[in-house]
């Protein structure tokens, strides 16, 4: 992402005016933020809907179900080429020092992630808040890597169902988030 010039972006978009990106977005960073938020809205809405449907009572199973509900919309976006590009794009944005992905999500609005956090806290009352906050922040990043890995597997022609990818990712993240302290 850092090696793509404004000229390259303008050319790829089919714009004849070389200053179109600057005119419409101000700079490349603002364009990248706009690309991120365009697709994120649909993922946020679907995540909120799925979280509202989780009705598992057992805390350990509820944790896995909540995480699965939270990451499934993002993983499902990998089922089409545009979605796989978006997942790769998000992973790149998350590792680019110019951006703070959590800050972007917060600025855009993240009611589903706030709901997820509150429900996860209820599942794990014995984990200190500071530890849980750090783990949830890191789990967000790990879920991006998991989705990008799933996208790569699909691009390679592997026939992995989204259900199995979500189940594996959710189980792994739930284990990480709920790991006992020494």
């Amino acid at each position: 992402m850092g090696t793509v010039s404004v000229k390259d972006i303008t050319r790829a978009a089919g714009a004849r005016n070389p200053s179109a990106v600057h005119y419409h977005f101000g700079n490349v960073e603002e364009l990248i933020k706009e690309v991120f938020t365009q697709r994120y809205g649909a993922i946020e809405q679907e995540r909120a809907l799925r979280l509202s449907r989780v009705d598992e009572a057992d805390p350990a199973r509820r944790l896995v179900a909540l995480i699965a509900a939270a990451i499934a919309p993002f993983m499902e976006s990998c089922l089409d080429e545009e979605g796989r590009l978006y997942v790769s794009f998000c992973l790149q944005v998350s590792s680019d020092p110019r951006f703070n992905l959590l800050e972007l999500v917060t600025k855009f609005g993240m009611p589903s992630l706030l709901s997820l956090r509150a429900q996860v806290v209820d599942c794990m009352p014995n984990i200190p808040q500071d530890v849980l906050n750090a783990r949830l922040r890191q789990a967000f990043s790990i879920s991006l890597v998991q989705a990008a890995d799933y996208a790569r597997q699909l691009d390679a022609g592997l026939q992995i169902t989204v259900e199995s990818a979500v189940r594996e990712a959710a189980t792994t993240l739930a284990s990480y988030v709920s790991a006992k302290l020494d």
Side-chain angles (χ1 to χ4, degrees):
M1 205 173 356
T3 60
V4 176
S5 69
V6 173
K7 185 177 177 182
D8 293 337
I9 293 169
T10 305
R11 191 175 333 122
R16 284 180 243 155
N17 180 353
S19 61
V21 169
H22 289 290
Y23 176 78
H24 292 286
F25 300 100
N27 58 42
V28 174
E29 287 79 11
E30 290 304 313
L31 170 64
I32 290 168
K33 289 176 186 178
E34 181 64 25
V35 169
F36 171 79
T37 59
Q38 284 297 313
R39 190 152 186 151
Y40 182 76
I43 291 170
E44 170 65 25
Q45 288 178 337
E46 183 63 26
R47 182 187 303 124
L49 177 65
R50 290 176 188 222
L51 286 170
S52 72
R53 293 179 178 162
V54 173
D55 65 355
E56 180 65 53
D58 175 71
R61 283 190 262 214
R62 181 171 178 76
L63 179 61
V64 173
L66 288 167
I67 293 173
I71 64 174
F74 199 62
M75 297 289 263
E76 287 171 359
S77 71
C78 294
L79 296 176
D80 65 63
E81 184 178 357
E82 187 177 304
R84 288 190 296 277
L85 289 172
Y86 181 71
V87 165
S88 176
F89 167 80
C90 287
L91 185 59
Q92 289 179 36
V93 169
S94 74
S95 62
D96 189 314
R98 296 176 293 174
F99 304 100
N100 178 331
L101 195 56
L102 194 54
E103 191 176 284
L104 274 175
V105 170
T106 304
K107 186 176 181 179
F108 178 75
M110 58 177 201
S112 71
L113 292 179
L114 293 173
S115 170
L116 173 66
R117 184 190 178 288
Q119 293 182 67
V120 166
V121 167
D122 288 344
C123 291
M124 297 181 300
N126 298 328
I127 306 242
Q129 280 297 323
D130 60 330
V131 172
L132 192 53
N133 287 338
R135 288 180 181 180
L136 288 172
R137 232 183 4 266
Q138 293 159 357
F140 182 80
S141 297
I142 294 166
S143 70
L144 290 174
V145 173
Q146 290 170 315
D149 183 59
Y150 179 54
R152 280 190 294 276
Q153 291 174 12
L154 292 175
D155 281 339
L158 299 176
Q159 300 298 311
I160 300 167
T161 67
V162 70
E163 294 82 11
S164 65
V166 168
R167 186 175 47 253
E168 178 61 28
T171 302
T172 301
L173 288 171
S175 296
Y176 170 71
V177 170
S178 65
K180 294 195 185 313
L181 298 170
D182 288 335

